[in-house]
Amino acid sequence: MSAGPDETAELHRELRAVARDLLRRNAAKAGPDQTYATVDWSLLADTGWLGLEAPEELDGAGVTFAEVAVVLHELGRAAASTPYLGSAVLGVGALRLLEAGPGRDELLRAAAVGSQRLAVALPTGDDDTAAFRLDAHRASGQADFVPDAAGADQVLLLAVDPDGLPVVVRVRPGDPGVTVTDRPVLDETRGLGTVVVDGAPVDPASVWRFGGDDPAAAARRLRDRAALAMACDGLGLAEAMLETTVEYAGTRRQFGRPIGSFQAVKHACADMFVQIAVGRELLGEAVRSVAADDPDAGVAVSRAKSYVCAAAVDIVGAAMQLHGGIGYTWEGGVHVYLKRALLNRSLFGAPAAHRARLGARFSAP
């Protein structure tokens, strides 16, 4: 029996509190030269976060994306470096959309307990066309900026079969014709890679089809999930920057009084607060839609992705200015959040692309 609204809210409060405390203690272990914290894979496995959405019969928790969104939000708040996005959010999410079978079930169980790290090669830019093709049991294509690809044990390719239908193809780094390389970016908290598949032979048992009557819609839900994950992370880091800025403005003194007493600083913090409040409402609607498998969830996701990820960049930029000179130093740490916010804004569709998607939907006859 599903939990009621009160029980769900209490579950989320507890999950958020535990995640925040755990990530705070993990960050405290970082060395003095580290500007961000790395979360060990074993820690993710021990918390059970990797298998939140996996069915209980496959060693998961059997909950929904709403609980995953809570973890994503806290990871963004902590600017934590972790492969959670590639394996737990996209890997488990992709497997759940596929037809059940021995191979899929075995991999889903392995991902839920952390014995296998996954990456999903999706289009990460504004174009959502699948980058891989499957023809005569051979796969070809290339995907750039794939989250957590370089450290993955297995990679799931979103491909198009000879009939033009989207499928998921399982490959392993190092297989004949499969090359996975690290793709460094300015945001050091994210691990991204390039996946190149050049005529790689594919076992038919490693080609999995989406469940339901509309495979294209299922593939879109997977891309929506990726975009929404960026928005969850973005809201978390925006909130962290507002809190840090308010605290700093209350202690930093100029002309004999805290800078937080100056009207310009008050107005800037108020603007940040309003942007976060609006973003929180948009994000909440999108998370509920995705968790409920709403056929129109893509509309709410595009609203949240376009607004929250753009607002996060503005908020972190304002935080950097309000911190004064220290905001521009390496030791200050604001730059970590700025680079992460900039990457979140561009991955899985820039705000302009999502607004164009919304415009095309609402302008269609």
Side-chain angles (χ1 to χ4, degrees), residues 261-338:
S261 65
F262 300 145
Q263 189 175 45
V265 176
K266 291 180 180 179
H267 285 183
C269 290
D271 289 342
M272 296 163 69
F273 178 84
V274 170
Q275 286 180 292
I276 288 173
V278 174
R280 188 179 293 120
E281 292 300 317
L282 291 172
L283 187 65
E285 179 186 356
V287 168
R288 288 189 293 271
S289 296
V290 169
D293 289 327
D294 186 342
D296 292 326
V299 174
V301 169
S302 287
R303 288 171 176 162
K305 176 64 164 71
S306 59
Y307 183 87
V308 173
C309 289
V313 174
D314 294 341
I315 289 168
V316 182
M320 179 172 283
Q321 293 181 21
L322 292 172
H323 274 75
I326 196 173
Y328 292 84
T329 63
W330 186 265
E331 293 80 3
V334 180
H335 66 94
V336 174
Y337 285 83
L338 180 59

Side-chain angles (χ1 to χ4, degrees), residues 56-104:
E56 294 183 48
E57 61 269 22
L58 296 178
D59 298 331
V63 294
T64 70
F65 184 83
E67 288 68 43
V68 173
V70 173
V71 175
L72 285 168
H73 179 271
E74 293 305 318
L75 290 173
R77 177 186 285 270
S81 178
T82 163
Y84 187 74
L85 173 63
S87 193
V89 181
L90 300 182
V92 171
L95 292 173
R96 286 185 64 253
L97 290 169
L98 301 174
E99 295 177 347
R104 188 220 69 154

Side-chain angles (χ1 to χ4, degrees), residues 20-37:
R20 189 170 301 180
D21 180 65
L22 187 150
L23 292 171
R24 184 184 297 115
R25 287 188 281 112
N26 180 78
K29 299 177 183 178
D33 296 332
Q34 288 184 265
T35 54
Y36 61 90

Side-chain angles (χ1 to χ4, degrees), residues 87-265:
S87 193
V89 181
L90 300 182
V92 171
L95 292 173
R96 286 185 64 253
L97 290 169
L98 301 174
E99 295 177 347
R104 188 220 69 154
D105 292 352
E106 178 185 1
L107 186 57
L108 184 51
R109 176 179 283 110
V113 300
S115 61
Q116 288 285 296
R117 300 192 193 191
L118 306 180
V120 182
L122 292 173
T124 56
D126 295 344
D127 185 0
D128 60 4
T129 303
F132 298 92
R133 297 197 66 84
L134 181 66
D135 188 19
H137 303 303
R138 289 185 177 272
S140 298
Q142 176 175 333
D144 292 316
F145 306 107
V146 177
D148 307 312
D153 299 306
Q154 302 192 45
V155 180
L156 304 178
L157 311 176
L158 179 62
V160 176
D161 72 1
D163 296 326
L165 297 175
V167 295
V168 168
V169 179
R170 177 177 64 174
V171 298
R172 292 178 174 83
D175 282 353
V178 179
T179 304
V180 179
T181 56
D182 190 25
R183 185 68 182 266
V185 293
L186 285 176
D187 177 17
E188 296 179 340
T189 67
R190 293 280 194 204
L192 302 177
T194 297
V195 179
V196 178
V197 181
D198 186 11
V202 176
D203 185 344
S206 293
V207 179
W208 297 327
R209 299 195 174 276
F210 287 98
D213 299 328
D214 192 345
R220 284 195 298 272
R221 287 201 296 273
L222 181 57
R223 292 192 292 268
D224 287 341
R225 159 187 288 266
L228 186 54
M230 296 296 97
C232 293
D233 190 275
L235 184 66
L237 65 87
E239 289 179 355
M241 283 293 94
L242 174 58
E243 292 175 6
T244 299
T245 302
V246 170
E247 180 181 0
Y248 179 79
T251 57
R252 178 72 169 91
R253 300 180 69 86
Q254 282 186 347
F255 308 111
R257 57 176 176 159
I259 63 172
S261 65
F262 300 145
Q263 189 175 45
V265 176

